[in-house]
Amino acid sequence: MNEEPKKSIDEEAGLPEDCDDEKDLGLKNGRPRVLARIETVPDIKKDTSGITTQYIATGIVNLGAFAAGACIAWSSSALLLLHHAKSEAVFTHATNTTTINDTHSRLVLSDSEASWTASLLCLGAACGAIPTGLISQYFGRKKTLLYLALPLVVSWLLVASSPNVYGLYVGRFVGGLAVGAFSVGIPPYVEDIAEPELLPTLANFYHVHLACGVLFGYVVGMISNTTWLSFLCATVPIAFFIAFIFLPESPAYLMSQGKYNEAKAALRYFRGIDNNIDSEIKELKEHMRNYAKLKVTFKELLSTKAMVKALVVSFGLTIFQQMSGIYPVLFYAQYIFKTFAISQNLPGAAIILGFCLVSSTYFSTMLLKTVRRRVLLMISFTAMALSLGTFAVYYHLQVSSVFEKGTWIPLFTLCIFVSVYAVGVGPIPWLMLREIFPKPATRRATAITAGFHWFLAFAVTKMFQHLVKKVGPGWALWYFASICVIGLIFVYFFVPETKGRSLEEIQNEFDGIHKKRKHRHVIEVESVSDA
């Protein structure tokens, strides 16, 4: 029986067998190939080392995260403008009866409609996060991210011009699809273009840009017109599209499609002319050849004890991260300040809150390099619980007329809350995904964790209104503080330390394997001198 000749490894991977020679760059099947897209890419300041190029490219792609932050912050000011004048905002126990109206608004929202408008962004993000990895695998990382600007612009146009609340719902949900897709699609692109020693720093750009987008949304929220507020936020995805279109596709994706020459040109763009990319190209080729063997399905994530425990840790951190109340604080910042009758101007107080979030997120990069993960998580959960508890005590004393209205305490405690969140509880669950899962499983685990993250954000944001109506603002704060305490206990008993440890050591701990330390036995032999 005749057997078909086996294909070579290079043919199975879609790579030419003689593609190791760098002089073949620009040739395909013996004919010149013009890389039109690569040739249009600007040479960033003649960067010969590639470091500046990687920083600038990472900043450009994370304009998507900036746009997502603006979507989150929009509701803080816009919902006050769209809310019914006779309503006491989201809270039934409000202590300040000052009302704010947008005289140009065509919509007037009830309490329930306002909460749906805020939370539907997160529901859309949950739907957009899970399939993004598969979509980018088939259509390309760059193309997928680039076209996400379209639904964002459409969502802002719907929000700005919708004549009824249902158009507002659709606009927020469509915008959420892009927000969730950005959270899953941006990190792999950065991972593909970054050198290993720069990756920890560049990976944190997502959180910094997201925080900057929140601050931007609070700043433009000073405009008391929801139409103009939406149009200003729409400029961010437009700027992202214009800037990102000039960057190359991910070298790893190009290699996976058999486009060796384009992959090499793209990698050389990100590495500069001073670096030899031959070894990295060979690593990419080897990874593509073994991709089918190393590929992990969603079912295989539950196949081993170590994988299941890693998912428990990942999901547990996500639960306590979201149930701590961070998104209700960001979505309803001005509502909360209005309820507690702070002495500061409402938009100005939101801007201060956003600035604390940005500065803490920026400095968290340095802390993550020096402080252990478990220590940062426990300090963060403890400080969040204390700040929320202090806020709750202040509210009860204010209701009892011990404190006068118009103090700085609510703003101060919330600034502490978002600052310590940004240092530990915010970035570390995402960072640990790369440390507790094998590399082939990381992107699958990231996709389902991101979907779970955004679904929880939707549930907590929607529940916040009903919780405050049932128990009042003070007891709602106590609820979130207690969640932080339980999160602290979870970290202490279930979360392993990952800093400075290999994946094998972490997986062995999940499997219950404790390697014994090697003991060196020294036998001293006394020499006897000859008589």
Side-chain angles (χ1 to χ4, degrees):
M1 186 173 182
N2 297 329
E3 295 183 359
E4 295 183 2
K6 293 184 179 180
K7 294 183 179 180
S8 67
I9 295 177
D10 284 326
E11 290 174 336
E12 289 179 349
L15 305 173
E17 293 194 31
D18 58 345
C19 63
D20 285 333
D21 194 350
E22 190 173 346
K23 66 182 180 181
D24 286 338
L25 181 60
L27 297 176
K28 187 173 183 179
N29 298 327
R31 295 188 299 274
R33 179 183 177 90
V34 179
L35 304 180
R37 174 59 60 197
I38 300 300
E39 290 179 351
T40 61
V41 176
D43 186 6
I44 300 178
K45 296 182 180 180
K46 302 294 183 181
D47 181 29
T48 58
S49 67
I51 294 176
T52 303
T53 302
Q54 292 171 58
Y55 270 88
I56 294 178
T58 303
I60 290 173
V61 70
N62 276 291
L63 284 175
F66 190 99
C71 291
I72 292 171
W74 175 86
S75 63
S76 174
S77 55
L79 292 185
L80 274 181
L81 301 174
L82 294 171
H83 206 273
H84 197 285
K86 295 181 181 180
S87 174
E88 291 182 313
V90 172
F91 308 97
T92 58
H93 292 73
T95 57
N96 182 8
T97 57
T98 304
T99 57
I100 302 176
N101 290 307
D102 179 7
T103 56
H104 302 279
S105 175
R106 294 179 294 275
L107 293 176
V108 177
L109 304 182
S110 65
D111 289 346
S112 177
E113 289 170 341
S115 68
W116 278 110
T117 301
S119 59
L120 275 173
L121 179 82
C122 299
L123 183 61
C127 296
I130 296 177
T132 300
L134 294 175
I135 294 173
S136 64
Q137 181 178 338
Y138 290 102
F139 294 99
R141 312 230 194 281
K142 176 186 173 180
K143 193 177 294 184
T144 301
L145 291 172
L146 192 65
Y147 291 155
L148 288 177
L150 179 61
L152 264 184
V153 173
V154 169
S155 72
W156 285 123
L157 293 178
L158 285 171
V159 168
S161 60
S162 177
N164 55 58
V165 71
Y166 300 106
L168 198 61
Y169 290 165
V170 173
R172 292 289 284 173
F173 183 84
V174 170
L177 292 174
V179 169
F182 275 133
S183 68
V184 174
I186 291 176
Y189 183 86
V190 174
E191 185 177 347
D192 288 346
I193 70 173
E195 296 179 54
E197 57 270 20
L198 296 179
L199 181 58
T201 299
L202 296 181
N204 202 45
F205 271 40
Y206 176 85
H207 303 286
V208 175
H209 279 67
L210 182 72
C212 288
V214 172
L215 177 59
F216 171 80
Y218 289 159
V219 171
V220 298
M222 297 180 70
I223 301 173
S224 297
N225 186 303
T226 54
T227 301
W228 280 107
L229 173 60
S230 301
F231 281 142
L232 286 173
C233 291
T235 62
V236 181
I238 295 173
F240 163 76
F241 183 89
I242 295 172
F244 189 48
I245 197 171
F246 292 106
L247 292 181
E249 176 59 90
S250 156
Y253 171 76
L254 292 172
M255 186 70 75
S256 70
Q257 300 301 303
K259 299 178 180 179
Y260 167 76
N261 296 323
E262 293 184 38
K264 200 165 187 178
L267 188 61
R268 182 168 296 284
Y269 172 77
F270 290 117
R271 296 297 178 265
I273 61 175
D274 284 351
N275 293 325
N276 190 334
I277 63 171
D278 289 345
S279 60
E280 195 166 353
I281 284 291
K282 289 180 181 179
E283 289 178 8
L284 277 176
K285 285 174 55 183
E286 190 65 28
H287 175 74
M288 291 303 119
R289 291 165 182 164
N290 297 326
Y291 179 75
K293 298 178 183 178
L294 298 175
K295 187 177 178 181
V296 175
T297 63
F298 288 112
K299 183 179 180 180
E300 290 173 339
L301 286 175
L302 302 174
S303 61
T304 65
K305 181 179 178 181
M307 286 282 200
V308 171
K309 285 192 174 182
L311 280 175
V312 169
V313 170
S314 178
F315 275 41
L317 289 176
T318 302
I319 289 171
F320 294 112
Q321 178 196 64
Q322 292 306 306
M323 298 297 286
S324 67
I326 183 64
Y327 275 109
V329 169
L330 298 180
F331 275 104
Y332 298 120
Q334 290 196 37
Y335 271 138
I336 296 173
F337 293 142
K338 178 175 180 282
T339 299
F340 289 93
I342 65 171
S343 57
Q344 292 82 10
N345 172 266
L346 296 184
I351 291 173
I352 294 173
L353 186 72
F355 178 78
C356 290
L357 180 66
V358 171
S359 57
S360 299
T361 305
Y362 177 79
F363 287 112
S364 69
T365 306
M366 293 178 286
L367 285 174
L368 290 171
K369 291 180 180 179
T370 56
V371 184
R372 291 183 297 172
R373 313 282 188 250
R374 276 169 48 89
V375 173
L376 269 181
L377 281 172
M378 289 190 286
I379 291 174
S380 184
F381 272 124
T382 302
M384 288 166 65
L386 290 175
S387 61
L388 290 175
T390 302
F391 198 179
V393 170
Y394 164 80
Y395 174 77
H396 294 306
L397 293 176
Q398 188 188 56
V399 171
S400 303
S401 300
V402 175
F403 281 114
E404 295 182 358
K405 298 179 181 178
T407 67
W408 51 267
I409 295 177
L411 177 59
F412 176 76
T413 54
L414 284 188
C415 284
I416 295 296
F417 174 77
V418 299
S419 296
V420 293
Y421 168 87
V423 167
V425 176
I428 289 180
W430 299 104
L431 178 62
M432 276 193 168
L433 285 171
R434 298 200 306 269
E435 297 174 337
I436 64 177
F437 287 98
K439 191 171 182 179
T442 300
R443 290 181 180 175
R444 298 283 189 188
T446 300
I448 61 174
T449 302
F452 187 56
H453 163 98
W454 287 112
F455 180 78
L456 283 176
F458 161 74
V460 175
T461 305
K462 188 70 181 75
M463 177 192 71
F464 184 61
Q465 175 190 10
H466 302 289
L467 179 65
V468 172
K469 284 185 176 180
K470 290 291 184 181
V471 301
W475 289 108
L477 292 171
W478 280 118
Y479 166 77
F480 290 125
S482 64
I483 293 294
C484 292
V485 173
I486 299 173
L488 171 65
I489 298 172
F490 175 82
V491 172
Y492 183 81
F493 285 103
F494 297 103
V495 178
E497 181 55 60
T498 59
K499 181 175 174 56
R501 301 180 68 193
S502 66
L503 176 63
E504 183 182 2
E505 291 174 332
I506 297 169
Q507 292 279 301
N508 285 339
E509 183 175 341
F510 284 144
D511 282 327
I513 301 173
H514 301 284
K515 290 187 176 181
K516 295 182 179 180
R517 294 181 180 179
K518 294 181 179 180
H519 298 283
R520 184 175 61 181
H521 300 280
V522 179
I523 302 176
E524 295 182 359
V525 179
E526 182 179 355
S527 61
V528 180
S529 60
D530 294 333

